[in-house]
Amino acid sequence: MTAATAPALELDDLNVAYTVRGIDRPVLRGVTLSIAQGESYGLVGESGCGKSTAAFALMRYLPRNGKIQSGSIRIAGQELMSMSEDGVRNLRATQVSMVYQNPGAALNPSIHIGDQVAEVFEIAGGSGAQARERTHEILGKVQISDPARVMRRYPHQLSGGMQQRVVIAMALAKDPALLILDEPTTGLDATVEAEVLDLVALLRGEFGTSVFFISHNLAVIRRMCERVGVLYAGRLVEEGQAETVFTDPRHPYTVGLLRCIPKGGLRKDVHRLDSIPGFLPQLGADLPGCVFTDRCGLAREICREHEPEFHQLGGGHASRCHFHDEAQTLPRTTPSHTEVPKRESNGVPVVKAEHMAKTFHQEGHDVRALDDLSIEIRPGETLGLVGESGSGKTTFARLLLGLTEPDQGSIVELEGHPLAPRIAKRSSDDVRALQIVFQNPDAALNRRFSVRRIINRALTKLVGAKGEGRDTRLRELAHSVRFDVRLLGARPAQLSGGLKQRVAIARAFAGEPLVVVCDEPTSALDVSVQAAILNLLADLQRDKGVTYLFISHDLGVVRYLSDRIAVLYLGRLMEVGDAETVFSAPHHPYTEALLSAVPSVEGEERPRIRLEGEIPSAADPPSGCVFHTRCPRYLGAICEEQEPPLAEVERGHFMRCHIPVDELRRLQAEPPPPRARGSQAKTTS
Amino acid sequence: MSRPEEQVVLAEHPLPETPRGEGDEEARVARRERLRLLSRSKTFLAGALVFGVFVFCAIFGEAVVPYDPLGSPTDILNKLEAPSSSHYFGTDQLGRDVFSRVVVGARDILVVALAATLLGTVLGAAIGLVTGYFRGLVDDVLMRIVDAFLAIPLVILATVALVALGPSKVTLVVVIGIVFAPIIARTVRAAVLSERELEYVQAARLRNEHAPYIMFAEILPNVTAPIVVEFTVRLGYAIFAIATLTFLGFGVQPPSPDWGLQIKENYVILNGGYWWPTLFPALAIAALVISINLITDGISRVFER
């Protein structure tokens, strides 16, 4: 086969192992896949499945204790396994590019963007001047509006989305045969993610590059890839056209993964999410028969004894399951139906915030992180808080909790009585009443303490429990968060992410709180674990009547769990209303854009509304309506001159927009208008 | 080189969730793992071996040496004998056996160095925790004082203090401890600054924990690694400092077999060709400091993982 017609990538029976304490532990088990020229192939699976190992292995770039035991890797027809080190290095320099998750770490912080990108061209053999010229050109291609200016900047002066554009520009600079994207948008805001994904799709059309796309996010894969492979415990368990795999999955693992995702319309009060029982097998565990047996609801004797072959189902769809035709009958691990009794509301909001504001003083600038926010949280409800990073979500939570002191004039009331601004001044009842579950359980739990000590301390401090009474409470708590009491002696590092988050939830519930702030509680977790945690939060709310302030960038998750939703932008409340009202038109134009940015696993494409440019700096917010600089439905001068009031457009539905609600309803029924003003991403200065 | 790549792999795959018993046992497992890694480190083993010999000398030195290190009335007859099979390291101007003096001399320097470093570490860790945790005004004031201390050369500060307080082992311990505290405080403060941003500290504040509890019960256990490393680094410097100060006459007084003192007493006769009473104590200082540095290397690599 010549290089011109060979597939961009061919892996044949690739086996990779890591040597840990002298023992080889298999990470990839006989992975066979191929990516045709110009094709985009997605690899999905939970963390620890071997996705990233696959990406590194195919460039022969494994850590020192990793080795390729057998198999073959061909990139554009060239066999890597028999190649010399120089050959591999040359191949990496010319044929393969990789884009990693964290663009901030992929760029050298002390070299100007221009010099970094130009280096790629210089290695390819261009002169200095030529290289800079081509740098200018490629930065334009990744839709950076002022390449000359960006070239003079250092990486830290650019936003995350802009950095990722630069990394993509560098990756494409050598016109590679294969572009590997390893979670390229994880950690970016939904709107920025959408832009980066759009860009990758656009450039793929232009350059004809083959893409190997690795992600844990099924919806992103669905949107970006023609074919997908599902990896579990280092074994490719299902493969096929993206559409087929997502609509007609034939492996219990794929079926389970898809059921974990809160899809449009599902709500906590009528539907429980399914989750996958058990845990990913330990690295290099001995797995006879089918790798998924231990977690599979359909497993039978044969699964334990015989490794299923890769059953071809036609159309390139294949499943490594003995009972692939039954996969979709996989029994649920949790009952799908749930009933939540209607709550009685006595009309007194549990939290009432009025004119909440917070100004940070940074290097001589006043940064308004939160501006005149007034909101009520009703007892027993979940208020979802959404918005891009920098919108003031976390600041609001911190003010409420008393971790940060609000500006003068801010008022927070808890069940009708005013709360002291700082936690140290609050009564012990108030302290107990407001608790939080943080995003990252690794940082939220003291890694030197055992689980028992972490929860006991909360019990002691919050409710004054001691001795036997405390032991009983500890057991009850562990039980209510479904945490095995036998693990109470373990330290956080010995637990999986999901178990750690359960401990954090138990700690938050130790003092029978009224309100629990959930700050992105599932965004560090895999989908199957996320589903279990969301179910747990819903159960706890049902049993204890607790109120949640739920902060998340994942709109699907927010929609699933929230009764009402508040949308923040630049520290201002743009829209608030019942969850279903906010999610169905008419929306505030900002909400509309946020919603359209989210890819869905069902593959239904909402008309994409592009948000141009980046969030303006809170130190220098735009005049009038703060959203006017990016608004897809910009009206005219009035938007720049007057700040619209937060008006009640429907019962209980408030919106801050000059456009009359009927007009919005009409506009949003049509396809979005093309935006006239500047269509390229702008840099912040 | 350490092998960070192993950690990458382990971090991605959490340990199995099977019950493993109680937390104390878990702590033991972690400690055993660290010891296992240390026992594989050649630098650490080499350092520990040499250091162990010196500790042995310090404890049992007097019992094993062939001669009385403080000398006997008849010694003067054998003064300045070159190294031989009866006097391995020769004899000094008073005819005392240099080998015996070097062996027994390990005790004073080790005890004083350990006590001084311990004092400095405890003080420094406390200052570092307080400044790092509170930041703001407390941080500014304390750190400026620390800076002022750092600006004064050790020897000058020590000289003044020793002259004022009179030379004794306790003075040495206090002076070196106080001089080291600011340096250790800086390192600990840096570690605390990043640690206090972690959410478990906020979780503690949300229980309305008092600052001392947060600093000493929550944060301190998480910054032990830099403190231990700093302790071993400073131990090496403390030995140099003690040797320097005794050499200058401000430390231990004659007829102690202190190494710095031996060098002071004998370096003037170096150009007379009598190298042995100076060389052997000097080598002992060098060997001890190097062994501690090797141990430091080994420990910091294990902690870095």
Side-chain angles (χ1 to χ4, degrees), chain B residues 46-82:
Chain B
L49 186 72
V50 176
F51 189 72
V53 170
F54 280 114
V55 170
F56 178 84
C57 293
I59 298 172
F60 303 106
E62 271 166 356
V64 298
V65 289
Y67 301 93
D68 184 350
L70 299 183
S72 63
T74 54
D75 277 346
I76 196 75
L77 302 172
N78 317 318
K79 73 172 190 172
L80 291 173
E81 272 183 33

mmCIF file of all heavy atoms in Angstrom, chain B residues 46-82:
data_model
loop_
_atom_site.group_PDB
_atom_site.id
_atom_site.type_symbol
_atom_site.label_atom_id
_atom_site.label_comp_id
_atom_site.label_asym_id
_atom_site.label_seq_id
_atom_site.Cartn_x
_atom_site.Cartn_y
_atom_site.Cartn_z
ATOM 1 N N ALA B 46 23.592 4.926 51.160
ATOM 2 C CA ALA B 46 24.978 5.312 51.402
ATOM 3 C C ALA B 46 25.032 6.352 52.515
ATOM 4 O O ALA B 46 25.847 6.248 53.452
ATOM 5 C CB ALA B 46 25.594 5.869 50.119
ATOM 6 N N GLY B 47 24.161 7.354 52.424
ATOM 7 C CA GLY B 47 24.129 8.404 53.444
ATOM 8 C C GLY B 47 23.795 7.831 54.811
ATOM 9 O O GLY B 47 24.451 8.150 55.810
ATOM 10 N N ALA B 48 22.792 6.951 54.826
ATOM 11 C CA ALA B 48 22.347 6.407 56.105
ATOM 12 C C ALA B 48 23.450 5.559 56.740
ATOM 13 O O ALA B 48 23.640 5.586 57.960
ATOM 14 C CB ALA B 48 21.088 5.566 55.908
ATOM 15 N N LEU B 49 24.216 4.859 55.908
ATOM 16 C CA LEU B 49 25.300 4.012 56.424
ATOM 17 C C LEU B 49 26.340 4.881 57.144
ATOM 18 O O LEU B 49 26.714 4.629 58.290
ATOM 19 C CB LEU B 49 25.940 3.239 55.266
ATOM 20 C CG LEU B 49 26.997 2.217 55.692
ATOM 21 C CD1 LEU B 49 26.295 1.037 56.356
ATOM 22 C CD2 LEU B 49 27.825 1.757 54.496
ATOM 23 N N VAL B 50 26.805 5.939 56.451
ATOM 24 C CA VAL B 50 27.835 6.805 57.033
ATOM 25 C C VAL B 50 27.292 7.491 58.283
ATOM 26 O O VAL B 50 27.940 7.549 59.330
ATOM 27 C CB VAL B 50 28.309 7.847 55.996
ATOM 28 C CG1 VAL B 50 29.302 8.799 56.621
ATOM 29 C CG2 VAL B 50 28.905 7.137 54.795
ATOM 30 N N PHE B 51 26.060 8.006 58.173
ATOM 31 C CA PHE B 51 25.457 8.700 59.299
ATOM 32 C C PHE B 51 25.317 7.743 60.485
ATOM 33 O O PHE B 51 25.590 8.096 61.630
ATOM 34 C CB PHE B 51 24.084 9.255 58.884
ATOM 35 C CG PHE B 51 23.469 10.161 59.908
ATOM 36 C CD1 PHE B 51 23.991 11.432 60.114
ATOM 37 C CD2 PHE B 51 22.381 9.754 60.659
ATOM 38 C CE1 PHE B 51 23.430 12.272 61.061
ATOM 39 C CE2 PHE B 51 21.817 10.590 61.611
ATOM 40 C CZ PHE B 51 22.347 11.857 61.814
ATOM 41 N N GLY B 52 24.954 6.493 60.158
ATOM 42 C CA GLY B 52 24.798 5.481 61.207
ATOM 43 C C GLY B 52 26.107 5.246 61.957
ATOM 44 O O GLY B 52 26.114 5.110 63.177
ATOM 45 N N VAL B 53 27.216 5.236 61.213
ATOM 46 C CA VAL B 53 28.521 5.050 61.852
ATOM 47 C C VAL B 53 28.774 6.187 62.844
ATOM 48 O O VAL B 53 29.217 5.968 63.982
ATOM 49 C CB VAL B 53 29.636 4.993 60.784
ATOM 50 C CG1 VAL B 53 31.009 5.057 61.442
ATOM 51 C CG2 VAL B 53 29.481 3.730 59.959
ATOM 52 N N PHE B 54 28.446 7.413 62.438
ATOM 53 C CA PHE B 54 28.681 8.555 63.322
ATOM 54 C C PHE B 54 27.778 8.481 64.557
ATOM 55 O O PHE B 54 28.201 8.826 65.655
ATOM 56 C CB PHE B 54 28.460 9.880 62.583
ATOM 57 C CG PHE B 54 29.638 10.263 61.733
ATOM 58 C CD1 PHE B 54 29.539 10.297 60.355
ATOM 59 C CD2 PHE B 54 30.856 10.585 62.326
ATOM 60 C CE1 PHE B 54 30.628 10.648 59.576
ATOM 61 C CE2 PHE B 54 31.946 10.936 61.545
ATOM 62 C CZ PHE B 54 31.832 10.968 60.167
ATOM 63 N N VAL B 55 26.524 8.042 64.326
ATOM 64 C CA VAL B 55 25.622 7.928 65.480
ATOM 65 C C VAL B 55 26.157 6.871 66.444
ATOM 66 O O VAL B 55 26.164 7.070 67.661
ATOM 67 C CB VAL B 55 24.190 7.574 65.003
ATOM 68 C CG1 VAL B 55 23.309 7.200 66.193
ATOM 69 C CG2 VAL B 55 23.580 8.744 64.256
ATOM 70 N N PHE B 56 26.652 5.782 65.883
ATOM 71 C CA PHE B 56 27.253 4.736 66.715
ATOM 72 C C PHE B 56 28.412 5.325 67.529
ATOM 73 O O PHE B 56 28.531 5.099 68.730
ATOM 74 C CB PHE B 56 27.743 3.590 65.810
ATOM 75 C CG PHE B 56 28.432 2.476 66.558
ATOM 76 C CD1 PHE B 56 27.691 1.462 67.150
ATOM 77 C CD2 PHE B 56 29.816 2.466 66.685
ATOM 78 C CE1 PHE B 56 28.316 0.453 67.854
ATOM 79 C CE2 PHE B 56 30.447 1.464 67.390
ATOM 80 C CZ PHE B 56 29.700 0.449 67.973
ATOM 81 N N CYS B 57 29.261 6.118 66.849
ATOM 82 C CA CYS B 57 30.396 6.748 67.535
ATOM 83 C C CYS B 57 29.898 7.630 68.671
ATOM 84 O O CYS B 57 30.462 7.665 69.762
ATOM 85 C CB CYS B 57 31.202 7.610 66.573
ATOM 86 S SG CYS B 57 32.039 6.651 65.327
ATOM 87 N N ALA B 58 28.814 8.371 68.382
ATOM 88 C CA ALA B 58 28.320 9.313 69.376
ATOM 89 C C ALA B 58 27.822 8.580 70.610
ATOM 90 O O ALA B 58 28.012 9.042 71.728
ATOM 91 C CB ALA B 58 27.199 10.154 68.769
ATOM 92 N N ILE B 59 27.193 7.432 70.390
ATOM 93 C CA ILE B 59 26.600 6.727 71.541
ATOM 94 C C ILE B 59 27.629 5.864 72.261
ATOM 95 O O ILE B 59 27.767 5.930 73.472
ATOM 96 C CB ILE B 59 25.414 5.858 71.068
ATOM 97 C CG1 ILE B 59 24.321 6.750 70.461
ATOM 98 C CG2 ILE B 59 24.837 5.058 72.232
ATOM 99 C CD1 ILE B 59 23.206 5.983 69.789
ATOM 100 N N PHE B 60 28.379 5.069 71.455
ATOM 101 C CA PHE B 60 29.269 4.096 72.090
ATOM 102 C C PHE B 60 30.739 4.483 71.999
ATOM 103 O O PHE B 60 31.601 3.722 72.404
ATOM 104 C CB PHE B 60 29.075 2.705 71.455
ATOM 105 C CG PHE B 60 27.665 2.225 71.521
ATOM 106 C CD1 PHE B 60 26.861 2.214 70.406
ATOM 107 C CD2 PHE B 60 27.143 1.797 72.735
ATOM 108 C CE1 PHE B 60 25.553 1.770 70.480
ATOM 109 C CE2 PHE B 60 25.839 1.354 72.816
ATOM 110 C CZ PHE B 60 25.034 1.336 71.696
ATOM 111 N N GLY B 61 31.001 5.684 71.415
ATOM 112 C CA GLY B 61 32.386 6.091 71.146
ATOM 113 C C GLY B 61 33.323 5.862 72.317
ATOM 114 O O GLY B 61 34.373 5.200 72.191
ATOM 115 N N GLU B 62 32.960 6.343 73.501
ATOM 116 C CA GLU B 62 33.863 6.273 74.645
ATOM 117 C C GLU B 62 34.209 4.845 75.013
ATOM 118 O O GLU B 62 35.299 4.562 75.503
ATOM 119 C CB GLU B 62 33.226 6.986 75.839
ATOM 120 C CG GLU B 62 33.593 8.448 75.819
ATOM 121 C CD GLU B 62 32.751 9.296 76.762
ATOM 122 O OE1 GLU B 62 31.813 8.755 77.386
ATOM 123 O OE2 GLU B 62 33.035 10.480 76.847
ATOM 124 N N ALA B 63 33.265 3.939 74.752
ATOM 125 C CA ALA B 63 33.500 2.548 75.137
ATOM 126 C C ALA B 63 34.427 1.830 74.163
ATOM 127 O O ALA B 63 35.097 0.881 74.545
ATOM 128 C CB ALA B 63 32.167 1.808 75.224
ATOM 129 N N VAL B 64 34.451 2.285 72.914
ATOM 130 C CA VAL B 64 35.207 1.510 71.919
ATOM 131 C C VAL B 64 36.569 2.108 71.581
ATOM 132 O O VAL B 64 37.401 1.433 70.996
ATOM 133 C CB VAL B 64 34.399 1.312 70.620
ATOM 134 C CG1 VAL B 64 33.127 0.529 70.895
ATOM 135 C CG2 VAL B 64 34.101 2.639 69.960
ATOM 136 N N VAL B 65 36.798 3.366 71.898
ATOM 137 C CA VAL B 65 38.063 3.971 71.462
ATOM 138 C C VAL B 65 39.236 3.401 72.248
ATOM 139 O O VAL B 65 39.087 3.051 73.427
ATOM 140 C CB VAL B 65 38.040 5.507 71.596
ATOM 141 C CG1 VAL B 65 37.126 6.102 70.575
ATOM 142 C CG2 VAL B 65 37.691 5.928 73.001
ATOM 143 N N PRO B 66 40.394 3.325 71.591
ATOM 144 C CA PRO B 66 41.559 2.717 72.247
ATOM 145 C C PRO B 66 42.156 3.594 73.353
ATOM 146 O O PRO B 66 42.795 3.074 74.266
ATOM 147 C CB PRO B 66 42.552 2.507 71.115
ATOM 148 C CG PRO B 66 42.114 3.406 70.017
ATOM 149 C CD PRO B 66 40.637 3.582 70.155
ATOM 150 N N TYR B 67 42.020 4.920 73.257
ATOM 151 C CA TYR B 67 42.653 5.795 74.248
ATOM 152 C C TYR B 67 41.623 6.755 74.825
ATOM 153 O O TYR B 67 40.565 6.966 74.231
ATOM 154 C CB TYR B 67 43.780 6.625 73.609
ATOM 155 C CG TYR B 67 44.864 5.787 73.002
ATOM 156 C CD1 TYR B 67 44.808 5.431 71.654
ATOM 157 C CD2 TYR B 67 45.948 5.349 73.773
ATOM 158 C CE1 TYR B 67 45.792 4.639 71.091
ATOM 159 C CE2 TYR B 67 46.936 4.560 73.215
ATOM 160 C CZ TYR B 67 46.853 4.210 71.868
ATOM 161 O OH TYR B 67 47.825 3.431 71.310
ATOM 162 N N ASP B 68 41.941 7.392 75.936
ATOM 163 C CA ASP B 68 41.072 8.413 76.492
ATOM 164 C C ASP B 68 41.172 9.660 75.617
ATOM 165 O O ASP B 68 42.261 10.213 75.447
ATOM 166 C CB ASP B 68 41.510 8.749 77.922
ATOM 167 C CG ASP B 68 40.572 9.740 78.577
ATOM 168 O OD1 ASP B 68 39.712 10.307 77.858
ATOM 169 O OD2 ASP B 68 40.708 9.949 79.797
ATOM 170 N N PRO B 69 40.077 10.092 75.062
ATOM 171 C CA PRO B 69 40.121 11.234 74.149
ATOM 172 C C PRO B 69 40.571 12.517 74.852
ATOM 173 O O PRO B 69 41.071 13.428 74.208
ATOM 174 C CB PRO B 69 38.684 11.346 73.651
ATOM 175 C CG PRO B 69 37.853 10.631 74.656
ATOM 176 C CD PRO B 69 38.725 9.558 75.205
ATOM 177 N N LEU B 70 40.368 12.604 76.142
ATOM 178 C CA LEU B 70 40.796 13.826 76.841
ATOM 179 C C LEU B 70 42.265 13.739 77.259
ATOM 180 O O LEU B 70 42.814 14.664 77.838
ATOM 181 C CB LEU B 70 39.912 14.059 78.067
ATOM 182 C CG LEU B 70 38.431 14.259 77.741
ATOM 183 C CD1 LEU B 70 37.644 14.564 78.996
ATOM 184 C CD2 LEU B 70 38.242 15.374 76.714
ATOM 185 N N GLY B 71 42.861 12.603 76.964
ATOM 186 C CA GLY B 71 44.286 12.473 77.215
ATOM 187 C C GLY B 71 44.576 11.991 78.635
ATOM 188 O O GLY B 71 43.699 11.925 79.498
ATOM 189 N N SER B 72 45.871 11.617 78.839
ATOM 190 C CA SER B 72 46.326 11.204 80.161
ATOM 191 C C SER B 72 47.674 11.891 80.388
ATOM 192 O O SER B 72 48.286 12.381 79.434
ATOM 193 C CB SER B 72 46.461 9.677 80.206
ATOM 194 O OG SER B 72 47.449 9.265 79.279
ATOM 195 N N PRO B 73 48.131 11.931 81.610
ATOM 196 C CA PRO B 73 49.349 12.702 81.902
ATOM 197 C C PRO B 73 50.562 12.252 81.093
ATOM 198 O O PRO B 73 51.456 13.057 80.827
ATOM 199 C CB PRO B 73 49.560 12.439 83.396
ATOM 200 C CG PRO B 73 48.226 12.038 83.918
ATOM 201 C CD PRO B 73 47.521 11.370 82.803
ATOM 202 N N THR B 74 50.571 10.995 80.675
ATOM 203 C CA THR B 74 51.768 10.515 79.973
ATOM 204 C C THR B 74 51.736 10.793 78.477
ATOM 205 O O THR B 74 52.718 10.577 77.784
ATOM 206 C CB THR B 74 51.923 9.003 80.175
ATOM 207 O OG1 THR B 74 50.694 8.381 79.780
ATOM 208 C CG2 THR B 74 52.216 8.663 81.613
ATOM 209 N N ASP B 75 50.609 11.254 77.981
ATOM 210 C CA ASP B 75 50.454 11.448 76.536
ATOM 211 C C ASP B 75 51.507 12.368 75.946
ATOM 212 O O ASP B 75 51.958 12.184 74.819
ATOM 213 C CB ASP B 75 49.068 12.056 76.238
ATOM 214 C CG ASP B 75 48.014 10.969 76.193
ATOM 215 O OD1 ASP B 75 48.412 9.792 76.127
ATOM 216 O OD2 ASP B 75 46.818 11.306 76.229
ATOM 217 N N ILE B 76 51.875 13.355 76.703
ATOM 218 C CA ILE B 76 52.747 14.403 76.162
ATOM 219 C C ILE B 76 54.042 13.825 75.611
ATOM 220 O O ILE B 76 54.679 14.385 74.728
ATOM 221 C CB ILE B 76 52.993 15.463 77.261
ATOM 222 C CG1 ILE B 76 53.557 16.740 76.667
ATOM 223 C CG2 ILE B 76 53.918 14.926 78.353
ATOM 224 C CD1 ILE B 76 52.546 17.553 75.947
ATOM 225 N N LEU B 77 54.395 12.610 76.077
ATOM 226 C CA LEU B 77 55.617 11.967 75.586
ATOM 227 C C LEU B 77 55.486 11.550 74.122
ATOM 228 O O LEU B 77 56.465 11.439 73.405
ATOM 229 C CB LEU B 77 55.922 10.728 76.432
ATOM 230 C CG LEU B 77 56.091 11.007 77.933
ATOM 231 C CD1 LEU B 77 56.195 9.715 78.722
ATOM 232 C CD2 LEU B 77 57.338 11.875 78.146
ATOM 233 N N ASN B 78 54.203 11.293 73.682
ATOM 234 C CA ASN B 78 54.006 10.821 72.302
ATOM 235 C C ASN B 78 53.474 11.919 71.407
ATOM 236 O O ASN B 78 52.738 11.648 70.477
ATOM 237 C CB ASN B 78 53.007 9.659 72.264
ATOM 238 C CG ASN B 78 53.236 8.665 73.370
ATOM 239 O OD1 ASN B 78 54.384 8.337 73.653
ATOM 240 N ND2 ASN B 78 52.170 8.228 73.998
ATOM 241 N N LYS B 79 53.750 13.172 71.706
ATOM 242 C CA LYS B 79 53.066 14.222 70.959
ATOM 243 C C LYS B 79 53.460 14.254 69.488
ATOM 244 O O LYS B 79 54.594 13.933 69.140
ATOM 245 C CB LYS B 79 53.297 15.585 71.619
ATOM 246 C CG LYS B 79 54.673 16.145 71.430
ATOM 247 C CD LYS B 79 54.728 17.571 71.938
ATOM 248 C CE LYS B 79 56.044 18.193 71.527
ATOM 249 N NZ LYS B 79 56.101 19.603 71.812
ATOM 250 N N LEU B 80 52.456 14.584 68.674
ATOM 251 C CA LEU B 80 52.625 14.755 67.235
ATOM 252 C C LEU B 80 53.245 13.558 66.538
ATOM 253 O O LEU B 80 54.116 13.692 65.684
ATOM 254 C CB LEU B 80 53.416 16.035 66.936
ATOM 255 C CG LEU B 80 52.630 17.309 67.274
ATOM 256 C CD1 LEU B 80 53.515 18.536 67.128
ATOM 257 C CD2 LEU B 80 51.424 17.454 66.380
ATOM 258 N N GLU B 81 52.788 12.372 66.934
ATOM 259 C CA GLU B 81 53.219 11.179 66.208
ATOM 260 C C GLU B 81 52.396 11.033 64.936
ATOM 261 O O GLU B 81 51.192 11.276 64.949
ATOM 262 C CB GLU B 81 53.004 9.936 67.090
ATOM 263 C CG GLU B 81 54.182 9.627 67.971
ATOM 264 C CD GLU B 81 53.961 8.360 68.767
ATOM 265 O OE1 GLU B 81 53.283 7.438 68.259
ATOM 266 O OE2 GLU B 81 54.443 8.316 69.920
ATOM 267 N N ALA B 82 53.028 10.639 63.859
ATOM 268 C CA ALA B 82 52.311 10.456 62.592
ATOM 269 C C ALA B 82 51.394 9.234 62.709
ATOM 270 O O ALA B 82 51.607 8.391 63.567
ATOM 271 C CB ALA B 82 53.302 10.254 61.455
#
